[in-house]
Structure formats: C-alpha cells, structure tokens
Amino acid sequence: MIRTAATTPFADQKPGTSGLRKKVPHFRQPNYVENFIQSIFDALDGFAGQTLVVGGDGRYFNAEVVQIVIRMAAANGFGRVLVGRDGLLSTPAASNVIRKYKAFGGIILSASHNPGGPTEDFGIKYNIGNGGPAPEKVTDAIFERTKAIVAWKTVDGPDVDLSRIGETKVGQMTVGIIDPVDDYAALMETLFDFDAIRALFASGFSMRFDAMSAVTGPYAEEILERRLGAPAGTVINKVPLPDFGGHHPDPNLVHAKDLYDLMMGPDAPDFGAASDGDGDRNLVIGRGQFVTPSDSLAILAANANLAPGYAGGLKGIARSMPTSAAADHVAKKLGIGCYETPTGWKFFGNLLDAGLATICGEESAGSGSDHVREKDGLWAVLLWLNILAVRRESVKTVVEKHWTEFGRNYYSRHDYEGLDATVANALMDELRNSLPALPDAHMNDLFVARADDFAYSDPVDGSLSKRQGVRVIFRGGSRVVFRLSGTGTEGATLRVYIERYEPDPARHGLDTQEALRELIANADMIAGIAARTGRAAPDVIT
Ligand code: G16
C-alpha cells in the first residue's frame, strides 16, 4: 500500500561538490531524508519499472537510510532495487554495479572521508545511469525540487533483511541483495595482470594496506590477500565500523599518520596504501617515499600501458584545475588530449563517456579510469602494484625516474578548516575583486603573469561552470589557487593549492614546503589569510 506523507521544504538541501552532506542529527530531523530522496525521484523521468542501486560506506545511519530508500523506491515505481549485503557498497563498486546491471541510477550513502557516528557526518548522493555522480543540471533540478516539495511517498512494511544474499519483494518491487565485492573484484581481474602481481608478492614483496575501518576492508582483503596472495595481515583495520573506530577515514598525511610513520621508518614494507570512508580515494607511499596524488596520477598515466586493461594506450588524461600539471607533461609526451576540469568527479563523466579521456585524477587523493565513473582507491593501488610487478623497481626509483624524465611539480595544499563562513566568503570576494590589479605585480622575486576565476566550458555538452577557484599564475608557470571546499559540514574550509615546476633534476631533492616558501608567502600576501582569519598556519598540509 502506497502511503503519501505531507511535508514542507527545507531550505538547505543544495547538493555540494559530491551530494548532500550534513551531520547525522541534521539528517535525523523528521522528513529530512525523505524530502531529499523524494526530490531526487521527482527530478528524474522514466524510471518506472527500472533498477535502482543502493549502498553506502557502512557509516552510522547507513542501514536505516537504506531501508527508507528501498520503501520509497517501491512507492515511486522502481521495478528493482539492488543493494549490497549489509547495505555496503564502496562508491566505485556502486558505480560498477550501476553500469553492469544497466540500472537507471543509484543512491550512494556516504560522507566520504568525513568522520562517522551519531553526531558526525552523513551524506546522500545520486548517480546517473553511466555510473557517475549526477551532473550539475540534475543536482540543480533536485535542489529546485527540495524547495517546492509538499509530499513524499513510501510503502509500509517490515525492514528487508540486508544480511542475506537473494531476492525478496517490497510491494510490487524486487529487492536483490548482492555480494558487494564480487562484481568489483571480477572487474579488477579484467584490468590488471593478477599473475604478475601474485608473482611479485610471492617474491617477498611486502605491503601494508590501511582500510581505516571503512568500506574498503572487505574489498582489499578479498583482492590483495585472497586473490593476489599477499600475506594475511597485509590489510589492517579491515572491518568497516559505523564510526570508523573514531578516526577520520581520510587517507592523508594527518589522518593516516601511522602508515606514513611506518613507511618512513626502518621497518617499512615495500609499499603502503590507504583508502577513505567510501573507497574512492587513495594514498600511496613507497618505502621512504610519499607520492603526492598529483604525481601519482602522472606516474599511473605514464605507465598504464604496463597493465593489460590499458595496453592499447590512453585516449586522454583529465585532471581537476587545482591538481598539479604533472599529468600534463605526460599527456604532451604521449601526444594525447589533456583536460582541466573544475573540482568534482562529476566533471569527468562526459569526457569519459565521449572517449576523450581514459584516466582522470585529482589532488584530493582521487584517481580512476573509464572502467567506472567514480574515482577508485583500490584501482589506483592495483595499478601501482601492476606497474611495480612489471618494472621490479622501488616506488622511490619509479618516482625519481619520472621526475628526471618529466620534471618535478613541487606541490602542496594548505587547508584552513572550520572558518567562519562569512569571513571565508569575504576573503574570496575580495580576492575576486583584486584580480584585475594582479597581473605584473612583483612579490618575492616573482611576477604575476595572469590571474582569473576559473570557468569551465564542457567540451562535450557545452555547459559552462563559473567561479570554480581563483588562480594566480606567475611568470614561469608557478601558481597559487584559492577555493572554498564544497564537502565540509561545518563552517568553511579555505583550500590554498601551491605549485612550482622544477625541470632540473639537480634540484629535485628539496623539501616541498621549502621549495614552495616564496609562493606560500605570496599566497598570504595576495589573500590576506592570516589577517582575515586570524590563523597563523594552516590546519592541514598535504
Ligand atoms: C569529493 C569529490 C572530488 C573532490 C573532493 C574535494 O570527493 O568527488 O571530486 O575533489 O570532494 O572537494 P572539496 O575540495 O570541495 O572539499 P569525496 O571523496 O569527498 O567524495
């Protein structure tokens, strides 16, 4: 029996960089989840009788929202819902399931790398039939609907047992509970040389994978330990927990510090990696060698042909604007297209669908390819392993040889978290106002060549996205970029991205912060960060 419940709109349901992210108590307000889910359905056309994929990263509130989505999907006329067992699906696995089973779309429950728990973060994101995050025209339509919604629909009935693989019915709709790992692991076997990686592990190659008590644990255990023969214990923190064990499941140098310390210490294994809450980000560290996400993208692209799935070469490489230009040097050498998009994986979807790009990546610890339409943490780790299995060189050697061949893009991101939103917005407004006066300005021995607010015109559908980050580019190509994060749930986070290109191998051994010192000072001078925010230093440096 379909039940219609009256409701009134919430004013704050605008999806951000990656869906709607709020604190759990905020989501728990009566009608809040239902309004947003109904608004998604109302903004879509033509799904009657079709399949919807549902899953999340297992964080607190995941299971309850899965049940809400199932009931509402039944009431709204979907023919089938596919759910990962226990409501789990990593974000890249969900993307794969949507594609493989030709679903109409999917709802992914995650707040990514943000902490989980009764007072922590939760998120809801809609992905379209290509498996990728909904593009802006869809998220805009969803937002418009949230402002006008008057009712939502559901069916009443008992919860579905999410722990049992198999099919059941909710109203007229079929609910299929599937193994969350199987389809994904099978896809990875088609892309990478599992025999070569098995031989690498058999030769004594050692690795630590930190799943950060998040969703990647079961995937990493199955693929690395069971299928590739890495010793038991290679994957740590492998049980997904609703609160991620009280940690931030963010694979960066702050929140994955234990892994970093291990990799820099005397007992380091050959290779270290970590993934985030929903499994789409990755951190890669060799023994004594941290690899920045921007460098990782470039190195993966330059060596992708060593993996069977990419042996035919790449069609193009895409990166988000704040990501370093390291990958551009690779694209140039390979003679393939190179695309610069705004921050947000959703901007890669058209390029991948149109066959313009094969590999994409972002400075925010994300890389992926056209195998799905999300970034994919374990994919990046497996491509690294495939490369190491073929080259039989250390990560450090691979990185250093890459810099020698292509030059080194010194790169760092400085985050100022939990700022007062008014202060942060005023800083960005002032920065935008100052842009016309910046060209030719002289600061710390550097001259500004140009300064703008990045706008992107999608080469496939022509859509224009404005105000995507302020860039100040100095003569010689060094640059600083400023933007506000679109994924936080409290106050505002200012991100400052700093980059300097160094072609001379004799100067590749500098400490990154030291190599960027003048640029860091210039960034503060340009934006008045310390004066406006009262912060003497960033909260997180990656
Ligand atoms: C999301 C997006 C990424 C983006 C990142 C950071 O990642 O999918 O494309 O780079 O947020 O965004 P921001 O700088 O606006 O915080 P995730 O892993 O949080 O879904």
Side-chain angles (χ1 to χ4, degrees), residues 17 21 112-113 281 345 362 364 375 483 485-487 495:
T17 308
R21 292 186 187 168
S112 187
H113 50 292
R281 296 186 175 206
W345 204 263
E362 297 185 285
S364 57
K375 56 188 188 274
R483 61 179 283 280
S485 159
T487 58
R495 303 206 195 283

Side-chain angles (χ1 to χ4, degrees), residues 475-499:
R475 289 183 199 161
S478 294
R479 64 173 193 164
V480 289
V481 173
F482 306 85
R483 61 179 283 280
L484 299 182
S485 159
T487 58
T489 56
E490 252 174 352
T493 294
L494 172 67
R495 303 206 195 283
V496 185
Y497 312 81
I498 308 131
E499 175 179 4

Side-chain angles (χ1 to χ4, degrees), residues 18 32 37 80 174 244 259 376 410 422 435 438 468 490:
S18 187
Y32 197 85
I37 302 291
R80 180 172 67 151
T174 303
F244 308 116
L259 179 69
D376 188 343
Y410 281 103
T422 316
L435 288 175
L438 280 174
Q468 296 295 326
E490 252 174 352

Side-chain angles (χ1 to χ4, degrees), residues 485-542:
S485 159
T487 58
T489 56
E490 252 174 352
T493 294
L494 172 67
R495 303 206 195 283
V496 185
Y497 312 81
I498 308 131
E499 175 179 4
R500 182 190 128 196
Y501 180 60
E502 177 55 71
D504 180 3
R507 298 176 54 79
H508 284 169
L510 305 178
D511 169 73
T512 299
Q513 301 305 316
E514 193 49 38
L516 298 173
R517 197 152 49 91
E518 285 85 7
L519 285 162
I520 293 168
N522 286 357
D524 190 53
M525 210 181 296
I526 293 166
I529 302 169
R532 285 180 168 276
T533 66
R535 303 281 177 86
D539 300 283
V540 177
I541 295 180
T542 51

Side-chain angles (χ1 to χ4, degrees), residues 320-371:
S320 66
M321 180 275 282
T323 305
S324 97
D328 303 20
H329 304 302
V330 176
K332 195 167 172 208
K333 186 150 193 174
L334 294 176
I336 57 177
C338 182
Y339 301 87
E340 188 177 33
T341 61
T343 295
W345 204 263
K346 58 192 171 199
F347 292 102
F348 294 134
N350 277 350
L351 298 173
L352 294 166
D353 283 352
L356 294 173
T358 307
I359 285 192
C360 309
E362 297 185 285
E363 53 69 37
S364 57
S367 41
S369 85
D370 58 1
H371 67 291

